[in-house]
């Protein structure tokens, strides 16, 4: 999953069930107490997407019961990958981003997410009448008409005649029908192969949403032909690919069509894997793989940093429990001006996610020694050392793009020990930042 995808940490279904009655009726409690839903039930997946859009993005959406259900982790993986491509291909001084969504679906999912999260502008096309009306209603309900325009088009053309060619566009997006209408449905390599977690049709009864003559390969080849005609007004073209086997023939066709460069990535979310393919006809754009946008399933991130506290070490701090250790740890993170979000709540295992927008932990020991020395001696700090501290502070203030995200897990390993784990998620200086934060916590966690 993309490093910036908020659903790298799965949503708390118990919290959603308590807050949203429309989701609660699909939630089931296991004997262990865990709340789950049936991902084969399109109505349950539809309810999940609807409440997450409401809670996390302030988007009010009504999804029709007979159309494709947009799952958010996959859609966000695609959008964030496109953002990575734009950052590598577009000067940072240019602020306005205008994209094209080919076949926008029942609620204009890509445009409304991008408009809400990034302020992007979109021209969205749609052939299906139900999807078109639902998308228009969604834009009006969320007051996004100034950012997104939906155009009703015929199925005979994807781009040609559907967009204003006098304008310049940054990119296109497309979620094509994955299956061949002549032989609909993926062929299993084994009868023992487990069933997919979601219905293959995504809850849709619309044939045009899930299957097309010739399958996705033929669909994307036709798209590439139209893209070639519109290369003067569109910088990047992208599409999702449903089957890995489709990549080879599509890339061969891209080479034949004269694409200057292309880029592929993998979207992994749960048991579902999709692929992304981007290309350009601009010879001044090189589509290299963005860092961290593609990670193999068998490649793990850096291991967490561990620190154990014994009951004896904690004896002067009061009750020796996961809750008390976490409370003191959160106080230390708050002292470093970090944003805190609770993730897991169990008696013997608790976790919080923390986000730092500036580096407040470097040189902490030097700063404290200097402050202590000044307090003891009662005179002004020397100009040289004061200048160093001021320069470090100024550097942090000027670094507007700094962002570190991590996870703190506190759990009871046995009756006499509690473990702290710091896991880097993204940003900062990676594991080096985690080491510095852990050292700061070691120095202060057991203070009286």
């Amino acid at each position: 999953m993309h490093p910036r995808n908020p659903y790298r940490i799965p949503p708390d279904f118990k919290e959603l069930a308590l807050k949203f009655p429309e989701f609660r009726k699909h939630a089931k409690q296991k004997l262990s107490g865990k709340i789950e839903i049936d991902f084969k039930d399109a109505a349950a997946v539809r309810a999940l997407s609807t409440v997450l859009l409401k809670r996390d993005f302030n988007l009010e959406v009504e999804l029709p019961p007979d159309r494709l259900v947009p799952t958010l982790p996959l859609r966000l993986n695609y959008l964030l990958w496109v953002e990575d491509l734009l950052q590598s291909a577009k000067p940072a001084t240019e602020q306005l981003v205008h994209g094209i969504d080919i076949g926008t679906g029942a609620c204009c999912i890509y445009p409304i997410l991008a408009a809400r999260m990034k302020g992007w502008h979109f021209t969205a096309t749609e052939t299906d009448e139900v999807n078109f009306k639902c998308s228009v209603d969604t834009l009006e309900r969320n007051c996004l008409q100034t950012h997104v325009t939906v155009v009703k088009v015929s199925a005979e053309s994807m781009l040609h005649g559907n967009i204003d060619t006098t304008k310049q566009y940054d990119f296109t997006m497309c979620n094509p029908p994955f299956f061949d209408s002549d032989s609909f449905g993926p062929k299993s390599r084994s009868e023992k192969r487990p069933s997919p977690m979601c219905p293959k049709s995504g809850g849709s009864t619309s044939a045009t949403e899930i299957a097309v003559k010739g399958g996705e390969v033929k669909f994307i080849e036709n798209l590439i032909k139209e893209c070639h005609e519109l290369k003067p007004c569109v910088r990047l073209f992208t599409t999702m690919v449903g089957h890995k086997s489709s990549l080879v023939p599509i890339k061969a066709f891209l080479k034949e069509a004269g694409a200057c460069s292309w880029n592929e990535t993998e979207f992994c979310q749960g048991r579902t894997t999709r692929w992304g393919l981007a290309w350009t006809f601009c010879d001044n754009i090189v589509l290299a793989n963005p860092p961290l946008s593609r990670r193999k399933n068998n490649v793990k991130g850096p291991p967490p940093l561990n620190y154990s506290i014994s009951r004896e070490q904690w004896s002067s701090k009061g009750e020796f429990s996961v809750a008390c250790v976490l409370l003191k740890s959160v106080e230390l993170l708050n002292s470093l001006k970090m944003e805190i979000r609770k993730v897991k709540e169990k008696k013997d295992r608790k976790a919080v996610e923390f986000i730092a927008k500036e580096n407040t932990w470097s040189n902490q020991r030097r700063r404290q020694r200097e402050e202590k020395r000044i307090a003891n001696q009662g005179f002004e700090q020397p100009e040289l050392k004061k200048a160093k501290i001021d320069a470090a502070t100024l550097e942090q203030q000027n670094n507007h793009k700094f962002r570190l995200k991590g996870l703190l897990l506190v759990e009871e390993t046995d009756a006499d020990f509690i473990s702290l784990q710091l896991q880097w998620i993204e940003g900062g200086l990676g594991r080096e930042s985690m080491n510095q934060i852990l050292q700061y916590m070691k120095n202060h966690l057991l203070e009286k």
Side-chain angles (χ1 to χ4, degrees):
M1 200 171 290
H2 194 284
R4 296 195 303 281
N5 195 316
Y7 300 117
R8 281 170 61 93
I9 300 172
D12 186 334
F13 285 176
K14 182 179 180 180
E15 177 188 331
L16 292 175
L18 291 172
K19 189 173 182 179
F20 299 102
E22 62 268 39
F23 178 77
R24 189 184 310 143
K25 64 183 181 181
H26 298 286
K28 300 174 184 179
Q29 187 171 20
K30 299 178 69 176
L31 291 176
S32 63
K34 183 179 179 181
I35 303 296
E36 61 177 22
I37 65 170
D38 181 6
F39 280 94
K40 297 178 184 178
D41 181 2
V45 179
R46 188 178 300 111
L48 175 61
S49 293
T50 302
V51 298
L52 289 178
L53 284 168
K54 184 185 299 184
R55 186 194 70 171
D56 298 335
F57 302 99
N58 192 27
L59 288 167
E60 294 285 343
V61 171
E62 291 184 11
L63 296 171
D66 56 353
R67 291 297 183 271
L68 193 67
V69 181
T71 52
L72 297 193
L74 174 58
R75 269 60 181 183
L76 288 168
N77 275 342
Y78 190 178
L79 271 174
L80 293 167
W81 174 62
V82 169
E83 184 181 33
D84 289 339
L85 293 173
L86 291 177
Q87 288 176 351
S88 65
K90 183 175 182 177
T93 54
E94 298 180 25
Q95 297 297 322
L96 183 64
V97 174
H98 197 150
I100 300 170
D101 185 19
I102 303 167
T104 198
C107 69
C108 230
I109 186 66
Y110 291 120
I112 63 174
L113 282 172
R116 185 69 91 215
M117 295 168 59
K118 310 293 181 183
W120 291 358
H121 291 252
F122 263 90
T123 297
T125 67
E126 181 54 53
T127 60
D128 183 85
E129 184 65 28
V130 173
N131 284 343
F132 174 73
K133 288 182 178 179
C134 184
S135 290
V136 171
D137 291 342
T138 299
L139 296 179
E140 292 176 352
R141 190 180 296 115
N142 294 281
C143 303
L144 291 174
Q145 303 96 314
T146 57
H147 282 74
V148 183
T149 301
V150 186
V151 182
K152 180 71 166 60
V153 299
S154 70
E156 298 173 358
S157 174
M158 286 174 268
L159 286 170
H160 189 68
N162 298 337
I163 63 171
D164 184 354
T165 55
T166 63
K167 294 182 178 179
Q168 288 293 313
Y169 301 91
D170 294 288
F171 64 93
T172 67
M173 299 183 73
C174 183
N175 191 2
F178 294 151
F179 305 115
D180 188 340
S181 57
D182 291 337
S183 55
F184 172 60
K187 295 180 180 179
S188 176
R189 290 188 293 268
S190 169
E191 292 182 0
K192 297 181 180 179
R193 187 178 180 181
S195 300
M197 291 298 287
C198 294
K200 65 183 179 182
S201 62
S204 177
T205 59
S206 172
T208 57
E209 281 195 310
I210 53 181
V212 65
K213 187 174 180 61
E216 63 180 353
V217 172
K218 186 64 177 177
F219 184 96
I220 296 172
E221 284 183 0
N222 292 335
L223 174 61
I224 293 170
K225 291 176 183 177
E226 293 195 29
C227 292
H228 191 274
E229 298 173 8
L230 296 172
K231 61 182 180 181
C233 60
V234 183
R235 303 178 74 224
L236 303 177
F237 301 92
T238 76
T239 185
M240 191 183 293
V241 180
H243 306 294
K244 190 175 184 179
S245 59
S246 300
L247 290 172
V248 172
I250 293 171
K251 287 190 289 185
F253 194 81
L254 275 175
K255 186 176 182 180
E256 183 182 327
C260 295
S261 66
W262 54 83
N263 168 281
E264 66 177 278
T265 193
E266 191 174 72
F267 305 130
C268 299
Q269 44 284 313
R271 293 177 60 181
T272 303
T273 301
R274 296 287 183 257
W275 291 265
L277 192 60
W279 64 94
T280 182
F281 294 102
C282 300
D283 54 12
N284 63 335
I285 296 177
V286 177
L287 292 177
N289 282 330
L292 297 177
S293 67
R294 183 182 180 185
R295 177 177 288 175
K296 296 290 185 180
N297 288 338
N298 60 346
V299 179
K300 298 181 180 179
L305 301 171
N306 294 283
Y307 174 51
S308 290
I309 300 174
S310 68
R311 184 181 293 275
E312 182 180 356
Q313 288 175 304
W314 195 262
S315 58
S316 63
K317 303 291 293 179
E319 181 186 354
F320 185 64
S321 67
V322 169
C324 290
V325 174
L326 178 68
L327 180 62
K328 177 63 176 177
S329 301
V330 168
E331 288 177 0
L332 292 176
L333 294 177
N334 283 330
S335 71
L336 294 175
K337 300 179 182 179
M338 293 188 183
E339 297 177 14
I340 308 295
R341 176 188 171 191
K342 289 185 179 180
V343 178
K344 296 179 181 177
E345 282 288 346
K346 291 184 181 179
K347 184 178 179 181
D348 60 347
R349 181 183 175 93
K350 299 180 184 291
V352 294
E353 185 181 271
F354 56 89
I355 299 173
K357 295 184 178 179
E358 59 177 314
N359 184 344
T360 55
W361 53 86
S362 293
N363 303 319
Q364 281 286 336
R365 296 182 68 180
R366 188 183 74 182
R367 292 166 187 257
Q368 290 165 5
R369 286 198 304 269
E370 193 67 21
E371 290 172 0
K372 186 176 180 180
R373 188 186 65 78
I374 293 168
N376 291 338
Q377 296 184 6
F379 56 77
E380 293 293 326
Q381 54 183 312
E383 287 299 319
L384 181 60
K385 290 188 176 181
K386 183 175 185 298
K388 288 182 179 179
I389 295 173
D390 290 344
T393 303
L394 182 61
E395 181 182 356
Q396 293 169 14
Q397 291 174 348
N398 290 336
N399 190 5
H400 299 298
K401 294 183 180 180
F402 184 90
R403 188 175 188 272
L404 172 73
K405 191 174 183 180
L407 186 74
L408 168 66
L409 174 65
V410 181
E411 62 178 337
E412 184 180 306
T413 52
D414 60 44
D416 294 316
F417 285 92
I418 290 176
S419 166
L420 278 77
Q421 289 187 4
L422 278 180
Q423 176 67 62
W424 175 81
I425 296 177
E426 65 170 328
L429 298 177
R431 194 173 173 84
E432 181 181 340
S433 294
M434 291 292 110
N435 268 315
Q436 293 172 347
I437 294 170
L438 182 61
Q439 189 60 51
Y440 175 79
M441 295 181 71
K442 286 181 179 179
N443 294 338
H444 295 84
L445 200 56
L446 300 176
E447 287 182 347
K448 294 182 180 180

